[in-house]
Amino acid sequence: MRITAHRKAHFNAAHRLYRADWDDAKNMQIFGKCSNPNFHGHNYDLTVSVSGEIDPETGFLIDLKILKDIIKAEVEDYLDHKNLNLEVPEFKTLNPTAENIAVVIHQKIKAVLDPKFDLEITLYETPRNFVTYKGE
Ligand code: NI
């Protein structure tokens, strides 16, 4: 039987969306307030969704303690209270949009998760704006 387990997490981080090859006016036109040159923060809410078969021996899909520890190591310790542009290597050259942050989170968790599971990331940048990424 296929089933999905979800675990929620949270982190705060600062960012600025911009392209260095555009001037401030064009960056402001495209990225709006998220292009403030002095950075600003968001309270990101994350749902990590793991899908697979129920283990008939335990009745579990995945030990949620293992998933909790993975999220702490790969996401919270890595991103919480960071300036994404300045402190997180992936975003030195990649715009830290919700889309790109979701992709980076997916890659980091996928790298350490048992490959038998499918993984989906849901990332809220604001209570009303969120993205989902399945690694496709
Ligand atoms: Ni922003």
Side-chain angles (χ1 to χ4, degrees):
M1 274 177 293
R2 247 186 111 67
I3 200 157
T4 303
H6 307 271
R7 183 163 173 95
K8 292 184 175 183
H10 180 81
F11 58 94
N12 304 313
H15 76 167
R16 180 193 179 197
L17 302 184
Y18 73 108
R19 291 188 59 96
D21 56 334
W22 292 353
D23 63 19
D24 282 355
K26 170 120 188 197
N27 275 307
M28 193 58 76
Q29 180 195 338
I30 300 298
F31 297 118
K33 285 190 207 166
C34 277
S35 188
N36 177 352
N38 293 318
F39 305 99
H40 61 279
H42 289 280
N43 295 312
Y44 292 95
D45 277 314
L46 173 69
T47 302
V48 176
S49 304
V50 174
S51 298
E53 297 288 325
I54 299 176
D55 181 336
E57 202 168 45
T58 62
F60 284 153
L61 168 70
I62 182 172
D63 181 339
L64 283 173
K65 169 76 165 62
I66 291 172
L67 186 58
K68 175 187 173 185
D69 291 346
I70 289 174
I71 293 168
K72 179 175 188 307
E74 302 301 321
V75 181
E76 293 168 347
D77 291 351
Y78 196 63
L79 300 178
D80 191 34
H81 285 74
K82 297 288 177 68
N83 181 312
L84 300 178
N85 301 77
L86 302 182
E87 296 179 274
V88 178
E90 285 86 345
F91 301 115
K92 292 262 190 259
T93 53
L94 185 66
N95 240 346
T97 57
E99 292 88 330
N100 283 332
I101 298 168
V103 170
V104 166
I105 289 171
H106 191 283
Q107 289 168 344
K108 286 182 64 68
I109 294 176
K110 192 76 182 169
V112 296
L113 187 67
D114 188 321
K116 71 183 181 183
F117 296 121
D118 291 325
L119 174 66
E120 181 171 359
I121 299 301
T122 303
L123 182 68
Y124 285 77
E125 189 173 75
T126 72
R128 295 182 185 187
N129 295 341
F130 64 101
V131 297
T132 61
Y133 181 63
K134 291 181 179 177
E136 292 164 349

